[in-house]
Amino acid sequence: MSYSPDGQYQPPYRPEGQNPPPRPPYGQQQGRPQPTPQGGRQQPPYGRPPQGGQPYGGGPGYGGPQQGRPQQGGRPPYGQDQYGQDQYGYDAPTQVQPRFEQQQYEQQRYEQQQYDQYEPPYGEEPPRRKSRAKKWIIAGVSVLALAGIGAGVMAYFDIPPFTDKGEAVSFGKPGGGQTAGKQAPNSKALMPTNPTAQFKNASTLPDGTHVAVTELDGKKSGFKGKVWVWAPKEYNDPKFAKSGFPVMIALPGGAGYPINYWMGTDLKLQASISKWYSEGKSKPFLLAMPVLNPENHDQDPKDPQSGTYWDGSDIPGQPKMDTWLTEDVPGLMKENFRTVKSRDGWAFMGSSTGGFASLKAVLKYPDKFKAAIASGPDIVPDSPLWKGHDKEKNENNPNLLSKALIEKKGAPDVYLAFQVGDSESNKDTLPNVQKYIATYGNKGPIHTSLRVIPGGKHNAATYVPNMGEGPIEFISKVMEGPVE
């Protein structure tokens, strides 16, 4: 309904010829005699014979029986069906009604006629019954939409055939057809020694490379856990078919179980290594990404510093996570990939507690590993599981290990690249790293570098982009690979 500014009703606009007929002025409604035009004859009311007859449905005096029509058993009055209704479904009078009721009935019939003749405003169409074809189209679109949603859900939850996750992955023929027995005595490359691990695809990168996962039953540690692996596209390049590739063991922070967050493509570690290699900043590293801890530590949501962790160490009475990380995981890579024989092709990287484990592994086993990138690391072991085991704790302390390495004659050189944000959640992280470098850095066989990340926080998303600004170059300059 429309109103004018002063509140008076305004009929809706309709193009000429589409407005319903106006109602007769008050006093000229159907059923009432019309004023007799001057010099003319009186017009009969609506629904009455034009001349001299009686009103339909009534006799003389508008109350007696209709002339010439039986009142019972015969034809119903005009406008009525046999059930007492007219053609519009309104109750028609079954006998002559008083004038007021007759007028009311006639008014209802008039309004129904106007409704039936009404045409909608210009530009509007009356509702139409949906065609069968349109119904089929709507049904088809609905089915396709549901199928698309279902496929997305199934892909998200790794349900075949909507994803290639879980499919077997082969990282090329071992040695490009070359076996270890055919290697030259002076070869720097180590061909796969026992390529039997079953790798399943965890994700596929845009360049076609795969992050794959396997369950490793550590023979030396006795621990069984998942390891994710990735090889750059160069690994399957025919020109590198006989080359050994450097390996980087990437360790996460936090719980480090049941996943290693470096395996996720959202952090872009794999894509970044490919990019840095193309820019001449990095080696084309193979990545090994094992779980860091043997189980998920009990975390108090109200205390982010709470929880149990193993410091990447062989704590007495606990799973041997040091042996797992430094012997079983490298063994997996040597068995299934073309690697570098010497320590010059082996490195660690990690953040937070993974940074600590990386730093400690290189300082403790410099004859096996040459370099580490430690992002936002702890500098001393602080797991609550060390309680009562001070001797073993000291054997895994980077400060004490560094001192011993400097004092050891003929110790191999190690390269430690630190990066720390200046907005770390633990305000002691940067000062502790700076103190370590001031005490042990660039002394004897220990070579260090430090990148302070402006605005950097304690998270992997901060650390990955900044690795390409110095740390990855620092260690790549001193490592080897690909080599034959």
Side-chain angles (χ1 to χ4, degrees), residues 302-318:
K302 298 180 181 179
D303 181 7
Q305 300 300 322
S306 68
T308 301
Y309 46 95
W310 281 256
D311 277 338
S313 303
D314 290 355
I315 301 175
Q318 299 293 327

Side-chain angles (χ1 to χ4, degrees), residues 403-477:
K403 182 180 179 181
L405 190 61
I406 292 172
E407 294 174 351
K408 184 178 179 181
K409 292 182 179 181
D413 292 325
V414 295
Y415 297 82
L416 310 175
F418 294 92
Q419 59 173 0
V420 184
D422 62 6
S423 298
E424 296 268 346
S425 54
N426 184 349
K427 301 304 180 183
D428 292 332
T429 301
L430 180 56
N432 287 341
V433 170
Q434 290 172 329
K435 180 179 179 180
Y436 172 86
I437 293 175
T439 305
Y440 306 106
N442 301 315
K443 295 181 180 180
I446 300 177
H447 307 273
T448 61
S449 72
L450 171 62
R451 174 173 174 75
V452 178
I453 305 169
K457 297 183 179 181
H458 191 75
N459 57 57
T462 292
Y463 300 139
V464 172
N466 286 279
M467 281 175 57
E469 299 300 321
I472 200 74
E473 289 183 283
F474 180 75
I475 68 169
S476 293
K477 288 178 179 178

Side-chain angles (χ1 to χ4, degrees), residues 165-169 198-203 211-214:
K165 293 182 181 180
E167 293 183 358
V169 174
Q198 301 299 312
F199 294 105
K200 292 185 178 181
N201 191 37
S203 60
V211 176
V213 63
T214 190

Side-chain angles (χ1 to χ4, degrees), residues 130-467:
K130 294 179 181 178
S131 67
R132 182 172 296 179
K134 189 173 183 179
K135 289 181 179 179
W136 279 109
I137 292 173
I138 293 174
V141 171
S142 299
V143 170
L144 290 175
L146 290 173
I149 294 172
V153 171
M154 296 176 79
Y156 179 80
F157 288 103
D158 303 341
I159 302 174
F162 298 98
T163 177
D164 60 355
K165 293 182 181 180
E167 293 183 358
V169 174
S170 173
F171 288 95
K173 295 180 180 179
Q178 182 182 7
T179 63
K182 295 181 181 180
Q183 283 184 276
N186 60 348
S187 173
K188 294 183 177 181
L190 177 64
M191 296 300 152
T193 59
N194 184 29
T196 58
Q198 301 299 312
F199 294 105
K200 292 185 178 181
N201 191 37
S203 60
T204 302
L205 276 66
D207 64 358
T209 59
H210 301 281
V211 176
V213 63
T214 190
E215 192 84 11
L216 173 61
D217 189 355
K219 298 297 189 295
K220 295 185 178 181
S221 67
F223 174 70
K224 185 177 183 179
K226 288 183 177 180
V227 181
W228 288 264
V229 297
W230 175 77
K233 62 182 180 180
E234 289 77 18
Y235 186 79
N236 287 322
D237 189 327
K239 73 178 181 180
F240 293 121
K242 298 180 180 180
S243 299
F245 279 69
V247 176
M248 179 180 287
I249 301 173
L251 304 181
Y257 184 95
I259 65 168
N260 179 321
Y261 56 58
W262 296 119
M263 52 77 68
T265 56
D266 56 327
L267 293 172
K268 302 185 184 304
L269 176 60
Q270 296 83 8
S272 295
I273 288 176
S274 293
K275 176 177 177 291
W276 296 329
Y277 175 64
S278 68
E279 295 172 348
K281 297 179 179 179
S282 173
K283 297 293 184 183
F285 289 102
L286 295 168
L287 288 182
M289 299 161 279
V291 293
L292 176 61
N293 292 312
E295 62 185 69
N296 199 357
H297 53 67
D298 299 323
Q299 187 77 29
D300 182 354
K302 298 180 181 179
D303 181 7
Q305 300 300 322
S306 68
T308 301
Y309 46 95
W310 281 256
D311 277 338
S313 303
D314 290 355
I315 301 175
Q318 299 293 327
K320 297 181 178 181
M321 302 314 294
D322 180 295
T323 303
W324 159 259
L325 296 174
T326 62
E327 294 192 41
D328 289 332
V329 172
L332 171 73
M333 300 303 289
K334 292 176 182 178
E335 290 175 356
N336 293 276
F337 293 88
R338 304 189 305 275
T339 58
V340 179
K341 283 183 179 179
S342 72
R343 62 187 285 273
D344 294 334
W346 294 85
F348 274 88
M349 67 82 67
S351 57
S352 192
T353 185
F356 166 83
S358 298
L359 175 65
K360 189 257 299 185
V362 173
L363 291 171
K364 190 174 183 180
Y365 306 107
D367 55 329
K368 295 181 180 180
F369 307 102
K370 190 171 188 177
I373 297 175
S375 302
D378 299 324
I379 297 299
V380 296
D382 56 2
S383 169
L385 298 173
W386 287 116
K387 186 176 181 180
H389 306 289
D390 291 340
K391 177 180 178 296
E392 291 81 4
K393 182 178 180 180
N394 290 335
E395 292 172 353
N396 290 274
N397 188 323
N399 288 300
L400 298 180
L401 290 170
S402 297
K403 182 180 179 181
L405 190 61
I406 292 172
E407 294 174 351
K408 184 178 179 181
K409 292 182 179 181
D413 292 325
V414 295
Y415 297 82
L416 310 175
F418 294 92
Q419 59 173 0
V420 184
D422 62 6
S423 298
E424 296 268 346
S425 54
N426 184 349
K427 301 304 180 183
D428 292 332
T429 301
L430 180 56
N432 287 341
V433 170
Q434 290 172 329
K435 180 179 179 180
Y436 172 86
I437 293 175
T439 305
Y440 306 106
N442 301 315
K443 295 181 180 180
I446 300 177
H447 307 273
T448 61
S449 72
L450 171 62
R451 174 173 174 75
V452 178
I453 305 169
K457 297 183 179 181
H458 191 75
N459 57 57
T462 292
Y463 300 139
V464 172
N466 286 279
M467 281 175 57

